[in-house]
C-alpha cells in the first residue's frame, strides 16, 4: 500500500552490491514515520478534546473536508513528480465549477443537461490543463509561470460566467445533497476522493504515464536518451491534473450549493503543503500519491483539532505555515543540489 519512491528503476537496475530488500526497508520505515506522525496528531487532539474529536460526526467532518484536496492532490503529485508544478488549481476549479452550475438546474434558469454538466465541468479542467502543458513544453516557459497565468485565465472565465446577475443556487435535494450523503457510514465526497486516490496509485504503479513521470522527474536527459517522449508525457500529466482540478471544482460547487468564481480559494495551499509534507520531492522523481493522501489527512486533522481546541484562526494560519516551512526544509535539504522548482 505504498507508492514508489523513485523512477530511477525504470532506467537502470540497482547495483548488485545493494540488496533490493534493504531499499525496501528504508522506504517502509520512512513511510511508517509519516503514518506515525498522523497517528500522533490524532492522539494529541483526542487527549485535548476527549468528548468531541473522535466522535463519528467529527470523523466524518474530517473525511469530508479532506475530499477536495485529496482529489486535487492526485494531479498535483503527478505534476511535481515530473519536476514541474501546477499553481492553476484555484482558477481551474472556479471555471469548472461555474460551468457545471450553469449547465445544471439552478436558480437562474431551467437549463439542465444532467450528467453532461459534470462532464462539461471536467472538460473545462482538461482544456486548461492542456493549455498549461502545451505552453510549458512547446514554448519552454517554466511551469511556475505558465500555471500561474492559467490560474488567472480560469478565474477570468469563472468571473465572466458568474456575470453581474444573482448568485446561481442549486435547488434543494437531488444532486446538491450527494456529497454529504452517507454510504457505508462515510460521506460520498470522501468515497469519490478515495476512488481518485486508488486510480492515481494504479497509474503510478502500473502504467507508462506513472513510470515515465518518475523517470522524467529523475532526469529528463536520461529519459530522452532512453526513448521516452518527454514533452508528450508532460502534457499528459498536466491534462490529468486539470481533470482532477475540474472534478474538484464540481464537487466544491455541490458542497457550496451555488456557483462561485472563488470556490477553490485555499485549496492550492493545502494541496501543495500536503504533497511536500507527504514526502514528494519538489525536484521530481521521488514520492507518491499515497504519501500525498497522508499529508492531506495530517493537515486536515491539524486544522480540525486546532478548531476544536479553541485556537484563534490567526494562530491556526501561523501553525499551518510553520508546518509547511519545516516540511519543505526537511524534504528539500538532502536534495538541494538538484532542486528544480521552476523547471
Amino acid at each position: 500500500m505504498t507508492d514508489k519512491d523513485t523512477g530511477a528503476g525504470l532506467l537502470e537496475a540497482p547495483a548488485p552490491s545493494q540488496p533490493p530488500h534493504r531499499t525496501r526497508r528504508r522506504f517502509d520505515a520512512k513511510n511508517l514515520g509519516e503514518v506515525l506522525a498522523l497517528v500522533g496528531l490524532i492522539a494529541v487532539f483526542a487527549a485535548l478534546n476527549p468528548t468531541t474529536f473522535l466522535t463519528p460526526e467529527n470523523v466524518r467532518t474530517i473525511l469530508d473536508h479532506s475530499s477536495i484536496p485529496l482529489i486535487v492532490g492526485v494531479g498535483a503529485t503527478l505534476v511535481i513528480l515530473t519536476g514541474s508544478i501546477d499553481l492553476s488549481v484555484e482558477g481551474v476549479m472556479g471555471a469548472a465549477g461555474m460551468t457545471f452550475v450553469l449547465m445544471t438546474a439552478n436558480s437562474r434558469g431551467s437549463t439542465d443537461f444532467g450528467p453532461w454538466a459534470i462532464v462539461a465541468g471536467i472538460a473545462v479542467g482538461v482544456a486548461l490543463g492542456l493549455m498549461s502543458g502545451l505552453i510549458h513544453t512547446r514554448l519552454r516557459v517554466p511551469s511556475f509561470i505558465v500555471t500561474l497565468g492559467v490560474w488567472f485565465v480560469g478565474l477570468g472565465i469563472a468571473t465572466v460566467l458568474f456575470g453581474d446577475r444573482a448568485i446561481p443556487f442549486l435547488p434543494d435535494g437531488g444532486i446538491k445533497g450527494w456529497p454529504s450523503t452517507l454510504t457505508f457510514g462515510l460521506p460520498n465526497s470522501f468515497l469519490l476522493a478515495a476512488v481518485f486516490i486508488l486510480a492515481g496509485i494504479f497509474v503510478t504503479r502500473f502504467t507508462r504515464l506513472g513510470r515515465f513521470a518518475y523517470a522524467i522527474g529523475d532526469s529528463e536527459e536520461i529519459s530522452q536518451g532512453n526513448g521516452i517522449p518527454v514533452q508528450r508525457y508532460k502534457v499528459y500529466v498536466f491534462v490529468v491534473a486539470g481533470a482532477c482540478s475540474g472534478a474538484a471544482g464540481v464537487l466544491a460547487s455541490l458542497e457550496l450549493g451555488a456557483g462561485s468564481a472563488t470556490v477553490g480559494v485555499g485549496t492550492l495551499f493545502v494541496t501543495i503543503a500536503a504533497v511536500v509534507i507527504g514526502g514528494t520531492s519538489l525536484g521530481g522523481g521521488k514520492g507518491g500519491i499515497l504519501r500525498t493522501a497522508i499529508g492531506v489527512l495530517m493537515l486536515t486533522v491539524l486544522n480540525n483539532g486546532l478548531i476544536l481546541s479553541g485556537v484563534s484562526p490567526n494562530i491556526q494560519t501561523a501553525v499551518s505555515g510553520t508546518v509547511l516551512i519545516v516540511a519543505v526544509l526537511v524534504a528539500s535539504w538532502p536534495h538541494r543540489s538538484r532542486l528544480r522548482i521552476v523547471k
Side-chain angles (χ1 to χ4, degrees):
M1 296 181 62
T2 54
D3 287 273
K4 294 167 66 179
D5 260 8
T6 177
L10 176 68
L11 304 175
E12 57 182 18
S17 60
Q18 184 177 2
H21 68 275
R22 292 175 59 188
T23 302
R24 173 65 61 183
R25 282 205 301 266
R26 284 199 300 270
F27 169 70
D28 288 343
K30 183 176 181 180
N31 205 43
L32 181 61
E34 295 156 0
V35 174
L36 289 177
L38 174 60
V39 172
L41 278 176
I42 294 173
V44 168
F45 288 120
L48 293 175
N49 308 279
T51 62
T52 56
F53 184 73
L54 288 181
T55 61
E57 294 78 9
N58 192 57
V59 171
R60 287 194 288 265
T61 297
I62 292 173
L63 296 179
D64 179 57
H65 287 174
S66 68
S67 58
I68 291 175
L70 282 173
I71 293 173
V72 176
V74 173
T77 302
L78 282 171
V79 172
I80 290 176
L81 284 175
T82 66
S84 301
I85 195 165
D86 183 7
L87 302 181
S88 67
V89 169
E90 296 182 8
V92 174
M93 286 181 63
M98 280 302 304
T99 300
F100 161 72
V101 169
L102 294 180
M103 291 186 67
T104 194
N106 64 86
S107 59
R108 283 191 185 177
S110 58
T111 302
D112 185 3
F113 290 89
W116 290 107
I118 299 175
V119 174
I122 296 175
V124 169
V126 169
L128 291 173
L130 179 62
M131 178 189 297
S132 295
L134 290 176
I135 295 175
H136 172 51
T137 58
R138 306 305 180 190
L139 301 182
R140 305 289 183 177
V141 181
S143 59
F144 181 94
I145 297 174
V146 172
T147 56
L148 187 62
V150 172
W151 175 357
F152 288 100
V153 170
L155 183 60
I157 292 173
T159 302
V160 169
L161 291 176
F162 187 87
D164 55 2
R165 299 170 60 189
I167 298 174
F169 289 99
L170 299 177
D172 293 331
I175 194 172
K176 177 182 176 181
W178 182 84
S180 58
T181 301
L182 300 182
T183 303
F184 306 117
L186 299 173
N188 285 336
S189 58
F190 176 75
L191 293 177
L192 176 64
V195 171
F196 272 79
I197 292 294
L198 292 175
I201 292 173
F202 177 83
V203 167
T204 54
R205 279 178 170 265
F206 302 111
T207 70
R208 286 187 176 183
L209 179 62
R211 294 194 298 269
F212 288 176
Y214 281 104
I216 292 168
D218 195 61
S219 173
E220 283 194 21
E221 294 75 15
I222 295 178
S223 297
Q224 288 177 333
N226 280 271
I228 296 176
V230 171
Q231 307 306 321
R232 185 199 311 169
Y233 275 90
K234 291 181 78 172
V235 172
Y236 291 165
V237 165
F238 276 100
V239 168
V240 171
C244 290
S245 295
V250 172
L251 179 60
S253 297
L254 285 172
E255 292 185 341
L256 181 63
S260 172
T262 57
V263 72
V265 168
T267 304
L268 177 63
F269 172 83
V270 175
T271 303
I272 299 300
V275 172
V276 175
I277 290 171
T280 296
S281 171
L282 290 175
K286 181 177 294 187
I289 289 170
L290 186 58
R291 292 181 178 275
T292 296
I294 295 173
V296 168
L297 291 175
M298 288 175 65
L299 286 176
T300 308
V301 167
L302 176 63
N303 290 334
N304 179 270
L306 291 174
I307 291 172
L308 292 180
S309 300
V311 177
S312 165
N314 294 330
I315 297 179
Q316 293 175 32
T317 302
V319 171
S320 298
T322 302
V323 170
L324 176 59
I325 292 173
V326 172
V328 169
L329 290 175
V330 171
S332 63
W333 188 258
H335 312 285
R336 59 192 181 279
S337 61
R338 62 181 295 268
L339 191 62
R340 297 165 292 179
I341 297 178
V342 295
K343 174 181 172 184

